[in-house]
Amino acid sequence: MRKPFIVGNWKMNLSLKEAVQLAGDIKSESAGVKNVDIGICPPFVFISSVYDVIKGSSVILGAQNVHDEDGGAFTGEVAGFMAKEAGCTYVIIGHSERRHVFGETDEFINRKLKKCVSIELAPIFCVGEKLEQREAGKTNDVIGEQLRNGLKDFTADAAGKLVIAYEPVWAIGTGKTATPDQANEVHAFIRDVLSTEFGAKVAGDMVIQYGGSVKPDNIKELLLQNDIDGALVGGASLKADSFLSMIKTADSL
Ligand code: PEP
């Protein structure tokens, strides 16, 4: 039985004061939530302060990115073990903004995923097609390639440690959400690829989140789909009331 996992990706937003306030509100207002795993991914510089707010609660802390090396001359980068030491248990890897704004390749993403699994920092591995790829009927080809390249040389045991997030690039921050059917079709395809690569048991247990303009008014229909196990939420995770409303909807399903 897969438990819904809803994660807020705060991206490069909020002041320290706002981040601490938001984390505190999420912690206190989600105390009674039993049926949903809740995560928040603040900007790096706020991670320790947010950790101090949420420690002892069931809210999970994640980073938005890490490097694949343990240390060295990589100005501006953060190693996975550093994020772990600061209190993170998850990290978003391969987000479309990392791929398309910062030029991250499948090979780099593969190295990061391997590093994270090796240090027990659980990756939320993002895949997603661009609009022109969807319109050209290439969605499954693109997603299949991102998955196979990202998970190259993974054992079934290692793959089972990941969460996958399907985030169509055309739906991120645009207000356009994939319809529940469109999203579920890709989720089912992802699970098929995972099943072929790692076996039905591992694939059946893996949480596959949907991301792309998820909001309080569309999360229910998305979560009711068979293969959608949660959400990676950007914009609507930045306000306590909208994030908590989505958590409560998920908790009630
Ligand atoms: C995201 O940050 O991964 C995302 C899906 O953003 P938004 O919810 O704003 O589309």
Side-chain angles (χ1 to χ4, degrees), residues 33-73:
V33 171
K34 293 277 169 285
N35 306 315
V36 186
D37 287 328
I38 304 165
I40 49 178
C41 300
F44 274 123
V45 289
F46 299 159
I47 281 179
S48 291
S49 305
V50 168
Y51 176 72
D52 287 342
V53 175
I54 61 172
K55 69 175 174 239
S57 77
S58 58
V59 180
I60 297 163
L61 189 59
Q64 297 176 18
N65 180 37
V66 289
H67 199 270
D68 70 308
E69 296 282 346
D70 288 326

Side-chain angles (χ1 to χ4, degrees), residues 130-186:
K130 293 181 178 171
L131 184 59
E132 61 270 25
Q133 294 167 327
R134 170 163 284 267
E135 286 175 347
K138 297 210 162 106
T139 299
N140 287 0
D141 294 344
V142 171
I143 303 294
E145 197 172 303
Q146 289 175 346
L147 282 172
R148 288 189 195 94
N149 290 342
L151 299 177
K152 189 162 179 284
D153 302 326
F154 266 67
T155 60
D157 189 44
K161 308 270 192 288
L162 271 69
V163 169
I164 308 286
Y166 168 55
E167 298 207 303
V169 180
W170 48 272
I172 299 180
T174 58
K176 287 185 201 153
T177 323
T179 64
D181 284 348
Q182 267 177 330
N184 196 56
E185 208 177 299
V186 181

Side-chain angles (χ1 to χ4, degrees), residues 44 47-48 63 65-67 69-72 74 77-88 119 121:
F44 274 123
I47 281 179
S48 291
N65 180 37
V66 289
H67 199 270
E69 296 282 346
D70 288 326
F74 300 102
E77 291 292 322
V78 171
F81 87 87
M82 297 172 182
K84 242 191 117 172
E85 283 189 342
C88 293
I119 63 168
L121 178 64

Side-chain angles (χ1 to χ4, degrees), residues 9-11 92 95 97 126 167 171-175 210-214 232-237:
N9 173 14
W10 294 357
K11 307 196 189 189
I92 300 171
H95 191 280
E97 287 146 22
C126 303
E167 298 207 303
I172 299 180
T174 58
Y210 170 78
S213 298
V214 177
L232 182 55
V233 186
S237 73

